Amino acid sequence: MIVLEQLQNAIDELESVKDYDDFKDDYNKLYNEYYTLSDIISSLMNSYDGIDFDEYRFNEINEELFKIQRLQRKYGYSMKAIYEARDELKEKIDASLHRDEVLEELEEQKDHYYNLALNKAKQWHQQRMEYALEFESLIQQQLVDLYLDKAQFKVDFEETELSKEGIDKVVFKVSMNAGQAFTPLNESASGGEISRVMLAIKIITLNQAFVDTVIFDEVDTGVSGKVADAIGRKMEELSKNKQVICITHLPQVAVHALNHYVLNKESEDNETYTSIQQVTGENRIKEIAKLLSGDSITEEALNNARSLLVHN
């Protein structure tokens, strides 16, 4: 409206000079523009006046917008997130309304997967039975090498309820002497015998395992002499494929190692400190001799230590 008023004022100002050639064209253009704009404004006002404002619908739309904003704050600021939440809630409602049907379907699924698992467990059982015979044979040979030639080793299976391990409880059983009944390993053998049987098991299993380093902590407990030497040889054999660390007090075992370390404990100011030191050359011989004769090292012990190291 202000523009039309200004145009009208300009036309009035030019009214007195409109007959002059210098102003005639400009006056006519301005005059035409005024009425063109006047017509446009009239048309716009007529259109605007024809709009029917529905206050009730306006409030409805605002209410819908408020609902959308609340949903966005709760479920995410995208319509995709809101739709996903809606579908999830719908599924929960449907499951609640059709509870019996859902439970029946779940029961069928449970039975289906239970049967699949049971069949797989039975396959495992057959494979275990087959490999058990081979495992028993390998262990038996190791026991002979460890001076347990009278001992018998057996893998026994006890059926259990289905679990992630299958339907088998595997029990290692031994008969340590001829005519003796088979009993679980931990119930029948002495300390030294258990050490040798466990060493045999570890030798066989570790060769098949993805383990780089093996630590034996006094696996030679309860043995001495030729049996200790056999244990040392077995660990030396294992060290060809694995890094073997052995803690021992037996010289017959220690001499089979490539490198020797001595552990020392010292007390100072009511504190105990442990240190480790590698020994080579004469110091190595002295440490082996200590294992033979104690802290009082004799010439005989030194000679025995040299002899053990030379022969191994």
Side-chain angles (χ1 to χ4, degrees):
M1 296 300 184
I2 296 176
V3 173
L4 287 179
E5 291 179 0
Q6 291 177 344
L7 286 174
Q8 183 63 55
N9 292 334
I11 291 171
D12 292 341
E13 291 294 331
L14 292 173
E15 181 71 27
S16 58
V17 294
K18 66 179 181 179
D19 294 329
Y20 292 98
D21 292 336
D22 292 340
F23 299 101
K24 187 174 183 178
D25 290 340
D26 291 334
Y27 175 84
N28 291 332
K29 289 179 181 179
L30 193 60
Y31 187 86
N32 291 332
E33 289 295 336
Y34 172 82
Y35 284 101
T36 298
L37 288 175
S38 179
D39 291 340
I40 292 173
I41 291 174
S42 297
S43 177
L44 288 173
M45 292 303 298
N46 289 333
S47 298
Y48 178 78
D49 292 337
I51 295 174
D52 184 16
F53 177 72
D54 188 342
E55 185 176 357
Y56 178 78
R57 180 57 182 159
F58 175 77
N59 292 331
E60 276 188 335
I61 293 174
N62 274 334
E63 186 175 348
E64 290 295 324
L65 291 173
F66 291 146
K67 287 181 180 179
I68 291 173
Q69 290 174 353
R70 287 198 299 270
L71 291 172
Q72 286 177 329
R73 287 194 295 269
K74 187 172 183 179
Y75 299 110
Y77 286 91
S78 70
M79 294 306 298
K80 180 181 178 182
I82 294 174
Y83 289 147
E84 289 176 351
R86 178 201 62 187
D87 294 340
E88 184 178 345
L89 289 172
K90 184 180 178 181
E91 289 178 3
K92 291 181 178 180
I93 293 171
D94 289 342
S96 177
L97 294 175
H98 304 89
R99 182 174 178 273
D100 293 338
E101 296 176 10
V102 172
L103 290 176
E104 183 178 352
E105 182 180 350
L106 291 175
E107 192 69 28
E108 291 177 357
Q109 291 181 13
K110 185 191 76 172
D111 292 340
H112 171 70
Y113 289 112
Y114 176 85
N115 290 328
L116 287 178
L118 183 61
N119 289 333
K120 179 61 68 175
K122 289 179 179 179
Q123 293 176 20
W124 288 357
H125 174 74
Q126 292 300 322
Q127 292 174 346
R128 284 168 175 159
M129 294 287 287
E130 295 172 8
Y131 286 118
L133 296 175
E134 181 182 354
F135 186 64
E136 289 171 355
S137 177
L138 293 172
I139 295 295
Q140 202 64 50
Q141 182 57 54
Q142 294 293 327
L143 295 180
V144 172
D145 296 343
L146 291 167
Y147 298 99
L148 288 173
D149 50 301
K150 302 296 183 183
Q152 297 291 318
F153 179 86
K154 182 175 72 171
V155 180
D156 198 27
F157 295 92
E158 298 176 6
E159 187 173 346
T160 63
E161 293 184 0
L162 180 64
S163 68
K164 63 180 180 179
E165 284 81 24
I167 54 174
D168 296 313
K169 177 183 178 183
V170 181
V171 181
F172 292 162
K173 291 186 176 182
V174 291
S175 170
M176 301 309 299
N177 299 291
Q180 185 178 356
F182 281 93
T183 54
L185 175 61
N186 61 334
E187 296 178 7
S188 58
S190 65
E193 291 171 338
I194 288 179
S195 296
R196 281 181 278 174
V197 175
M198 291 304 300
L199 178 60
I201 293 172
K202 288 181 178 179
I203 289 172
I204 299 303
T205 56
L206 288 172
N207 279 328
Q208 305 298 323
F210 296 101
V211 176
D212 295 325
T213 302
V214 185
I215 301 176
F216 291 105
D217 186 3
E218 298 189 14
V219 71
D220 47 30
T221 299
V223 301
S224 60
K226 65 179 182 179
V227 176
D229 180 66
I231 290 175
R233 291 185 186 280
K234 285 296 178 184
M235 286 191 280
E236 183 179 2
E237 178 185 337
L238 184 61
S239 70
K240 293 177 182 178
N241 299 311
K242 309 288 182 181
Q243 171 65 61
V244 176
I245 299 173
C246 175
I247 302 170
T248 183
H249 293 92
L250 295 181
Q252 295 91 340
V253 175
V255 292
H256 288 280
L258 293 177
N259 300 284
H260 292 87
Y261 297 84
V262 175
L263 288 171
N264 294 306
K265 286 186 178 181
E266 297 180 359
S267 297
E268 182 180 347
D269 299 330
N270 295 322
E271 295 286 344
T272 300
Y273 301 93
T274 302
S275 62
I276 185 171
Q277 180 182 8
Q278 184 176 11
V279 289
T280 58
E282 283 299 315
N283 288 332
R284 181 188 184 200
I285 296 172
K286 289 179 181 178
E287 291 300 330
I288 297 296
K290 282 184 182 180
L291 296 177
L292 288 165
S293 63
D295 291 335
S296 178
I297 302 176
T298 64
E299 189 62 33
E300 181 181 2
L302 289 171
N303 290 332
N304 287 336
R306 292 190 184 96
S307 177
L308 285 172
L309 288 168
V310 167
H311 287 89
N312 291 283

